[in-house]
PDB file of all heavy atoms in Angstrom:
ATOM      1  N   GLU O  74     -47.921   1.527  21.511  1.00  0.00           N
ATOM      2  CA  GLU O  74     -47.047   0.911  20.560  1.00  0.00           C
ATOM      3  C   GLU O  74     -47.618   0.950  19.168  1.00  0.00           C
ATOM      4  O   GLU O  74     -46.900   1.016  18.184  1.00  0.00           O
ATOM      5  CB  GLU O  74     -46.720  -0.511  20.968  1.00  0.00           C
ATOM      6  CG  GLU O  74     -45.737  -0.638  22.135  1.00  0.00           C
ATOM      7  CD  GLU O  74     -44.426   0.097  21.879  1.00  0.00           C
ATOM      8  OE1 GLU O  74     -43.718  -0.281  20.932  1.00  0.00           O
ATOM      9  OE2 GLU O  74     -44.114   1.051  22.622  1.00  0.00           O
ATOM     10  N   GLU O  75     -48.967   0.917  19.085  1.00  0.00           N
ATOM     11  CA  GLU O  75     -49.614   1.014  17.762  1.00  0.00           C
ATOM     12  C   GLU O  75     -49.348   2.383  17.134  1.00  0.00           C
ATOM     13  O   GLU O  75     -49.110   2.504  15.933  1.00  0.00           O
ATOM     14  CB  GLU O  75     -51.128   0.814  17.899  1.00  0.00           C
ATOM     15  CG  GLU O  75     -51.537  -0.611  18.220  1.00  0.00           C
ATOM     16  CD  GLU O  75     -51.318  -0.983  19.666  1.00  0.00           C
ATOM     17  OE1 GLU O  75     -51.066  -0.061  20.489  1.00  0.00           O
ATOM     18  OE2 GLU O  75     -51.386  -2.198  19.981  1.00  0.00           O
ATOM     19  N   ARG O  76     -49.356   3.426  17.940  1.00  0.00           N
ATOM     20  CA  ARG O  76     -49.038   4.785  17.454  1.00  0.00           C
ATOM     21  C   ARG O  76     -47.578   4.875  16.999  1.00  0.00           C
ATOM     22  O   ARG O  76     -47.299   5.409  15.938  1.00  0.00           O
ATOM     23  CB  ARG O  76     -49.300   5.807  18.600  1.00  0.00           C
ATOM     24  CG  ARG O  76     -48.735   7.202  18.367  1.00  0.00           C
ATOM     25  CD  ARG O  76     -49.421   7.919  17.275  1.00  0.00           C
ATOM     26  NE  ARG O  76     -48.960   9.319  17.196  1.00  0.00           N
ATOM     27  CZ  ARG O  76     -49.151  10.130  16.162  1.00  0.00           C
ATOM     28  NH1 ARG O  76     -49.816   9.671  15.084  1.00  0.00           N
ATOM     29  NH2 ARG O  76     -48.719  11.374  16.154  1.00  0.00           N
ATOM     30  N   ILE O  77     -46.664   4.296  17.796  1.00  0.00           N
ATOM     31  CA  ILE O  77     -45.244   4.303  17.405  1.00  0.00           C
ATOM     32  C   ILE O  77     -45.061   3.474  16.124  1.00  0.00           C
ATOM     33  O   ILE O  77     -44.313   3.875  15.219  1.00  0.00           O
ATOM     34  CB  ILE O  77     -44.381   3.742  18.554  1.00  0.00           C
ATOM     35  CG1 ILE O  77     -44.510   4.573  19.825  1.00  0.00           C
ATOM     36  CG2 ILE O  77     -42.898   3.665  18.077  1.00  0.00           C
ATOM     37  CD1 ILE O  77     -44.113   6.029  19.652  1.00  0.00           C
ATOM     38  N   ASP O  78     -45.743   2.360  15.997  1.00  0.00           N
ATOM     39  CA  ASP O  78     -45.690   1.560  14.767  1.00  0.00           C
ATOM     40  C   ASP O  78     -46.115   2.381  13.569  1.00  0.00           C
ATOM     41  O   ASP O  78     -45.513   2.324  12.493  1.00  0.00           O
ATOM     42  CB  ASP O  78     -46.561   0.310  14.877  1.00  0.00           C
ATOM     43  CG  ASP O  78     -46.012  -0.719  15.806  1.00  0.00           C
ATOM     44  OD1 ASP O  78     -44.787  -0.678  16.110  1.00  0.00           O
ATOM     45  OD2 ASP O  78     -46.783  -1.609  16.236  1.00  0.00           O
ATOM     46  N   ALA O  79     -47.215   3.138  13.742  1.00  0.00           N
ATOM     47  CA  ALA O  79     -47.737   3.918  12.614  1.00  0.00           C
ATOM     48  C   ALA O  79     -46.765   5.037  12.209  1.00  0.00           C
ATOM     49  O   ALA O  79     -46.567   5.314  11.010  1.00  0.00           O
ATOM     50  CB  ALA O  79     -49.105   4.527  13.008  1.00  0.00           C
ATOM     51  N   LEU O  80     -46.152   5.685  13.216  1.00  0.00           N
ATOM     52  CA  LEU O  80     -45.192   6.736  12.923  1.00  0.00           C
ATOM     53  C   LEU O  80     -43.969   6.161  12.204  1.00  0.00           C
ATOM     54  O   LEU O  80     -43.475   6.736  11.248  1.00  0.00           O
ATOM     55  CB  LEU O  80     -44.759   7.432  14.209  1.00  0.00           C
ATOM     56  CG  LEU O  80     -45.805   8.331  14.854  1.00  0.00           C
ATOM     57  CD1 LEU O  80     -45.384   8.715  16.275  1.00  0.00           C
ATOM     58  CD2 LEU O  80     -46.016   9.609  14.014  1.00  0.00           C
ATOM     59  N   CYS O  81     -43.500   4.994  12.640  1.00  0.00           N
ATOM     60  CA  CYS O  81     -42.360   4.338  12.013  1.00  0.00           C
ATOM     61  C   CYS O  81     -42.673   3.933  10.587  1.00  0.00           C
ATOM     62  O   CYS O  81     -41.841   4.065   9.668  1.00  0.00           O
ATOM     63  CB  CYS O  81     -41.894   3.134  12.810  1.00  0.00           C
ATOM     64  SG  CYS O  81     -41.070   3.550  14.384  1.00  0.00           S
ATOM     65  N   ALA O  82     -43.877   3.466  10.349  1.00  0.00           N
ATOM     66  CA  ALA O  82     -44.285   3.067   9.016  1.00  0.00           C
ATOM     67  C   ALA O  82     -44.342   4.302   8.078  1.00  0.00           C
ATOM     68  O   ALA O  82     -43.914   4.237   6.918  1.00  0.00           O
ATOM     69  CB  ALA O  82     -45.641   2.382   9.030  1.00  0.00           C
ATOM     70  N   GLN O  83     -44.844   5.411   8.637  1.00  0.00           N
ATOM     71  CA  GLN O  83     -44.922   6.635   7.828  1.00  0.00           C
ATOM     72  C   GLN O  83     -43.501   7.118   7.497  1.00  0.00           C
ATOM     73  O   GLN O  83     -43.226   7.551   6.387  1.00  0.00           O
ATOM     74  CB  GLN O  83     -45.649   7.711   8.637  1.00  0.00           C
ATOM     75  CG  GLN O  83     -45.937   8.998   7.870  1.00  0.00           C
ATOM     76  CD  GLN O  83     -46.758   9.983   8.655  1.00  0.00           C
ATOM     77  OE1 GLN O  83     -47.247   9.649   9.746  1.00  0.00           O
ATOM     78  NE2 GLN O  83     -46.932  11.166   8.123  1.00  0.00           N
ATOM     79  N   PHE O  84     -42.599   7.046   8.485  1.00  0.00           N
ATOM     80  CA  PHE O  84     -41.214   7.444   8.290  1.00  0.00           C
ATOM     81  C   PHE O  84     -40.571   6.579   7.180  1.00  0.00           C
ATOM     82  O   PHE O  84     -39.934   7.087   6.282  1.00  0.00           O
ATOM     83  CB  PHE O  84     -40.456   7.269   9.608  1.00  0.00           C
ATOM     84  CG  PHE O  84     -39.027   7.699   9.605  1.00  0.00           C
ATOM     85  CD1 PHE O  84     -38.653   8.927  10.156  1.00  0.00           C
ATOM     86  CD2 PHE O  84     -38.034   6.876   9.099  1.00  0.00           C
ATOM     87  CE1 PHE O  84     -37.311   9.321  10.170  1.00  0.00           C
ATOM     88  CE2 PHE O  84     -36.696   7.253   9.102  1.00  0.00           C
ATOM     89  CZ  PHE O  84     -36.338   8.486   9.622  1.00  0.00           C
ATOM     90  N   LYS O  85     -40.745   5.245   7.300  1.00  0.00           N
ATOM     91  CA  LYS O  85     -40.180   4.353   6.306  1.00  0.00           C
ATOM     92  C   LYS O  85     -40.681   4.597   4.930  1.00  0.00           C
ATOM     93  O   LYS O  85     -39.937   4.590   3.940  1.00  0.00           O
ATOM     94  CB  LYS O  85     -40.469   2.894   6.745  1.00  0.00           C
ATOM     95  CG  LYS O  85     -39.831   1.854   5.803  1.00  0.00           C
ATOM     96  CD  LYS O  85     -40.070   0.461   6.299  1.00  0.00           C
ATOM     97  CE  LYS O  85     -39.477  -0.581   5.374  1.00  0.00           C
ATOM     98  NZ  LYS O  85     -39.722  -1.974   5.901  1.00  0.00           N
ATOM     99  N   SER O  86     -41.975   4.859   4.811  1.00  0.00           N
ATOM    100  CA  SER O  86     -42.577   5.146   3.496  1.00  0.00           C
ATOM    101  C   SER O  86     -41.971   6.409   2.895  1.00  0.00           C
ATOM    102  O   SER O  86     -41.704   6.487   1.681  1.00  0.00           O
ATOM    103  CB  SER O  86     -44.089   5.292   3.633  1.00  0.00           C
ATOM    104  OG  SER O  86     -44.683   5.653   2.429  1.00  0.00           O
ATOM    105  N   PHE O  87     -41.712   7.391   3.727  1.00  0.00           N
ATOM    106  CA  PHE O  87     -41.165   8.678   3.233  1.00  0.00           C
ATOM    107  C   PHE O  87     -39.776   8.507   2.657  1.00  0.00           C
ATOM    108  O   PHE O  87     -39.447   9.091   1.645  1.00  0.00           O
ATOM    109  CB  PHE O  87     -41.144   9.691   4.383  1.00  0.00           C
ATOM    110  CG  PHE O  87     -40.697  11.059   3.979  1.00  0.00           C
ATOM    111  CD1 PHE O  87     -41.611  11.992   3.486  1.00  0.00           C
ATOM    112  CD2 PHE O  87     -39.360  11.453   4.086  1.00  0.00           C
ATOM    113  CE1 PHE O  87     -41.179  13.263   3.112  1.00  0.00           C
ATOM    114  CE2 PHE O  87     -38.937  12.705   3.673  1.00  0.00           C
ATOM    115  CZ  PHE O  87     -39.863  13.627   3.196  1.00  0.00           C
ATOM    116  N   ILE O  88     -38.950   7.676   3.307  1.00  0.00           N
ATOM    117  CA  ILE O  88     -37.528   7.585   2.883  1.00  0.00           C
ATOM    118  C   ILE O  88     -37.249   6.455   1.912  1.00  0.00           C
ATOM    119  O   ILE O  88     -36.225   6.425   1.257  1.00  0.00           O
ATOM    120  CB  ILE O  88     -36.587   7.406   4.096  1.00  0.00           C
ATOM    121  CG1 ILE O  88     -36.768   6.044   4.758  1.00  0.00           C
ATOM    122  CG2 ILE O  88     -36.740   8.548   5.084  1.00  0.00           C
ATOM    123  CD1 ILE O  88     -35.694   5.678   5.738  1.00  0.00           C
ATOM    124  N   SER O  89     -38.190   5.480   1.771  1.00  0.00           N
ATOM    125  CA  SER O  89     -37.857   4.215   1.115  1.00  0.00           C
ATOM    126  C   SER O  89     -37.293   4.383  -0.276  1.00  0.00           C
ATOM    127  O   SER O  89     -36.284   3.762  -0.641  1.00  0.00           O
ATOM    128  CB  SER O  89     -39.107   3.317   1.085  1.00  0.00           C
ATOM    129  OG  SER O  89     -40.148   3.941   0.376  1.00  0.00           O
ATOM    130  N   ASP O  90     -37.910   5.186  -1.110  1.00  0.00           N
ATOM    131  CA  ASP O  90     -37.381   5.381  -2.480  1.00  0.00           C
ATOM    132  C   ASP O  90     -36.405   6.518  -2.544  1.00  0.00           C
ATOM    133  O   ASP O  90     -35.425   6.493  -3.297  1.00  0.00           O
ATOM    134  CB  ASP O  90     -38.553   5.650  -3.457  1.00  0.00           C
ATOM    135  CG  ASP O  90     -39.406   4.399  -3.643  1.00  0.00           C
ATOM    136  OD1 ASP O  90     -38.852   3.301  -3.596  1.00  0.00           O
ATOM    137  OD2 ASP O  90     -40.644   4.549  -3.832  1.00  0.00           O
ATOM    138  N   ARG O  91     -36.618   7.528  -1.761  1.00  0.00           N
ATOM    139  CA  ARG O  91     -35.755   8.728  -1.756  1.00  0.00           C
ATOM    140  C   ARG O  91     -34.345   8.374  -1.407  1.00  0.00           C
ATOM    141  O   ARG O  91     -33.393   8.961  -1.942  1.00  0.00           O
ATOM    142  CB  ARG O  91     -36.304   9.777  -0.834  1.00  0.00           C
ATOM    143  CG  ARG O  91     -37.639  10.400  -1.245  1.00  0.00           C
ATOM    144  CD  ARG O  91     -38.125  11.409  -0.208  1.00  0.00           C
ATOM    145  NE  ARG O  91     -39.346  12.120  -0.597  1.00  0.00           N
ATOM    146  CZ  ARG O  91     -40.560  11.689  -0.354  1.00  0.00           C
ATOM    147  NH1 ARG O  91     -40.745  10.525   0.280  1.00  0.00           N
ATOM    148  NH2 ARG O  91     -41.610  12.385  -0.725  1.00  0.00           N
ATOM    149  N   ILE O  92     -34.149   7.434  -0.478  1.00  0.00           N
ATOM    150  CA  ILE O  92     -32.790   7.183  -0.002  1.00  0.00           C
ATOM    151  C   ILE O  92     -31.935   6.495  -1.055  1.00  0.00           C
ATOM    152  O   ILE O  92     -30.686   6.548  -1.030  1.00  0.00           O
ATOM    153  CB  ILE O  92     -32.816   6.341   1.295  1.00  0.00           C
ATOM    154  CG1 ILE O  92     -31.474   6.490   2.069  1.00  0.00           C
ATOM    155  CG2 ILE O  92     -33.097   4.861   1.014  1.00  0.00           C
ATOM    156  CD1 ILE O  92     -31.516   6.010   3.453  1.00  0.00           C
ATOM    157  N   LEU O  93     -32.586   5.885  -2.025  1.00  0.00           N
ATOM    158  CA  LEU O  93     -31.820   5.274  -3.114  1.00  0.00           C
ATOM    159  C   LEU O  93     -31.269   6.310  -4.102  1.00  0.00           C
ATOM    160  O   LEU O  93     -30.358   6.052  -4.879  1.00  0.00           O
ATOM    161  CB  LEU O  93     -32.700   4.291  -3.865  1.00  0.00           C
ATOM    162  CG  LEU O  93     -33.196   3.089  -3.041  1.00  0.00           C
ATOM    163  CD1 LEU O  93     -34.116   2.217  -3.890  1.00  0.00           C
ATOM    164  CD2 LEU O  93     -32.033   2.280  -2.476  1.00  0.00           C
ATOM    165  N   GLU O  94     -31.811   7.518  -4.030  1.00  0.00           N
ATOM    166  CA  GLU O  94     -31.361   8.611  -4.902  1.00  0.00           C
ATOM    167  C   GLU O  94     -30.406   9.560  -4.240  1.00  0.00           C
ATOM    168  O   GLU O  94     -29.823  10.423  -4.863  1.00  0.00           O
ATOM    169  CB  GLU O  94     -32.600   9.395  -5.404  1.00  0.00           C
ATOM    170  CG  GLU O  94     -33.598   8.489  -6.186  1.00  0.00           C
ATOM    171  CD  GLU O  94     -34.897   9.208  -6.486  1.00  0.00           C
ATOM    172  OE1 GLU O  94     -35.018  10.394  -6.046  1.00  0.00           O
ATOM    173  OE2 GLU O  94     -35.754   8.622  -7.158  1.00  0.00           O
ATOM    174  N   VAL O  95     -30.268   9.428  -2.917  1.00  0.00           N
ATOM    175  CA  VAL O  95     -29.366  10.333  -2.165  1.00  0.00           C
ATOM    176  C   VAL O  95     -27.946  10.089  -2.580  1.00  0.00           C
ATOM    177  O   VAL O  95     -27.506   8.944  -2.673  1.00  0.00           O
ATOM    178  CB  VAL O  95     -29.542  10.073  -0.623  1.00  0.00           C
ATOM    179  CG1 VAL O  95     -28.431  10.790   0.144  1.00  0.00           C
ATOM    180  CG2 VAL O  95     -30.898  10.543  -0.171  1.00  0.00           C
ATOM    181  N   PRO O  96     -27.159  11.123  -2.853  1.00  0.00           N
ATOM    182  CA  PRO O  96     -25.759  10.913  -3.238  1.00  0.00           C
ATOM    183  C   PRO O  96     -24.914  10.393  -2.075  1.00  0.00           C
ATOM    184  O   PRO O  96     -25.235  10.622  -0.931  1.00  0.00           O
ATOM    185  CB  PRO O  96     -25.277  12.330  -3.662  1.00  0.00           C
ATOM    186  CG  PRO O  96     -26.235  13.271  -2.985  1.00  0.00           C
ATOM    187  CD  PRO O  96     -27.541  12.543  -2.885  1.00  0.00           C
ATOM    188  N   GLU O  97     -23.839   9.730  -2.452  1.00  0.00           N
ATOM    189  CA  GLU O  97     -22.855   9.331  -1.423  1.00  0.00           C
ATOM    190  C   GLU O  97     -22.075  10.528  -0.933  1.00  0.00           C
ATOM    191  O   GLU O  97     -21.966  11.530  -1.667  1.00  0.00           O
ATOM    192  CB  GLU O  97     -21.906   8.279  -2.009  1.00  0.00           C
ATOM    193  CG  GLU O  97     -22.602   6.984  -2.394  1.00  0.00           C
ATOM    194  CD  GLU O  97     -21.717   5.987  -3.120  1.00  0.00           C
ATOM    195  OE1 GLU O  97     -20.540   6.380  -3.410  1.00  0.00           O
ATOM    196  OE2 GLU O  97     -22.147   4.886  -3.386  1.00  0.00           O
ATOM    197  N   VAL O  98     -21.577  10.439   0.274  1.00  0.00           N
ATOM    198  CA  VAL O  98     -20.665  11.477   0.758  1.00  0.00           C
ATOM    199  C   VAL O  98     -19.446  11.501  -0.161  1.00  0.00           C
ATOM    200  O   VAL O  98     -18.937  10.424  -0.558  1.00  0.00           O
ATOM    201  CB  VAL O  98     -20.260  11.209   2.213  1.00  0.00           C
ATOM    202  CG1 VAL O  98     -19.122  12.119   2.666  1.00  0.00           C
ATOM    203  CG2 VAL O  98     -21.454  11.350   3.120  1.00  0.00           C
ATOM    204  N   ALA O  99     -18.993  12.651  -0.542  1.00  0.00           N
ATOM    205  CA  ALA O  99     -17.875  12.792  -1.480  1.00  0.00           C
ATOM    206  C   ALA O  99     -16.685  11.967  -1.036  1.00  0.00           C
ATOM    207  O   ALA O  99     -16.197  12.103   0.102  1.00  0.00           O
ATOM    208  CB  ALA O  99     -17.463  14.261  -1.607  1.00  0.00           C
ATOM    209  N   GLY O 100     -16.192  11.108  -1.930  1.00  0.00           N
ATOM    210  CA  GLY O 100     -15.007  10.308  -1.680  1.00  0.00           C
ATOM    211  C   GLY O 100     -15.244   9.058  -0.899  1.00  0.00           C
ATOM    212  O   GLY O 100     -14.296   8.269  -0.741  1.00  0.00           O
ATOM    213  N   ALA O 101     -16.499   8.810  -0.470  1.00  0.00           N
ATOM    214  CA  ALA O 101     -16.731   7.639   0.401  1.00  0.00           C
ATOM    215  C   ALA O 101     -16.464   6.340  -0.340  1.00  0.00           C
ATOM    216  O   ALA O 101     -15.762   5.460   0.205  1.00  0.00           O
ATOM    217  CB  ALA O 101     -18.174   7.661   0.918  1.00  0.00           C
ATOM    218  N   ARG O 102     -16.969   6.161  -1.533  1.00  0.00           N
ATOM    219  CA  ARG O 102     -16.761   4.895  -2.235  1.00  0.00           C
ATOM    220  C   ARG O 102     -15.297   4.688  -2.611  1.00  0.00           C
ATOM    221  O   ARG O 102     -14.755   3.599  -2.507  1.00  0.00           O
ATOM    222  CB  ARG O 102     -17.632   4.832  -3.497  1.00  0.00           C
ATOM    223  CG  ARG O 102     -17.611   3.425  -4.138  1.00  0.00           C
ATOM    224  CD  ARG O 102     -18.668   3.292  -5.213  1.00  0.00           C
ATOM    225  NE  ARG O 102     -20.008   3.308  -4.651  1.00  0.00           N
ATOM    226  CZ  ARG O 102     -20.695   2.200  -4.345  1.00  0.00           C
ATOM    227  NH1 ARG O 102     -20.169   1.012  -4.541  1.00  0.00           N
ATOM    228  NH2 ARG O 102     -21.921   2.312  -3.862  1.00  0.00           N
ATOM    229  N   ALA O 103     -14.624   5.760  -2.992  1.00  0.00           N
ATOM    230  CA  ALA O 103     -13.208   5.627  -3.318  1.00  0.00           C
ATOM    231  C   ALA O 103     -12.417   5.199  -2.090  1.00  0.00           C
ATOM    232  O   ALA O 103     -11.489   4.378  -2.209  1.00  0.00           O
ATOM    233  CB  ALA O 103     -12.664   6.990  -3.853  1.00  0.00           C
TER     234      ALA O 103
END
Side-chain angles (χ1 to χ4, degrees):
E74 284 305 298
E75 289 78 13
R76 167 68 173 164
I77 300 300
D78 287 342
L80 288 167
C81 288
Q83 186 176 353
F84 183 101
K85 182 177 180 179
S86 176
F87 184 88
I88 69 167
S89 59
D90 292 327
R91 293 177 175 89
I92 201 166
L93 298 178
E94 301 171 358
V95 169
E97 296 173 354
V98 170
R102 188 170 292 266

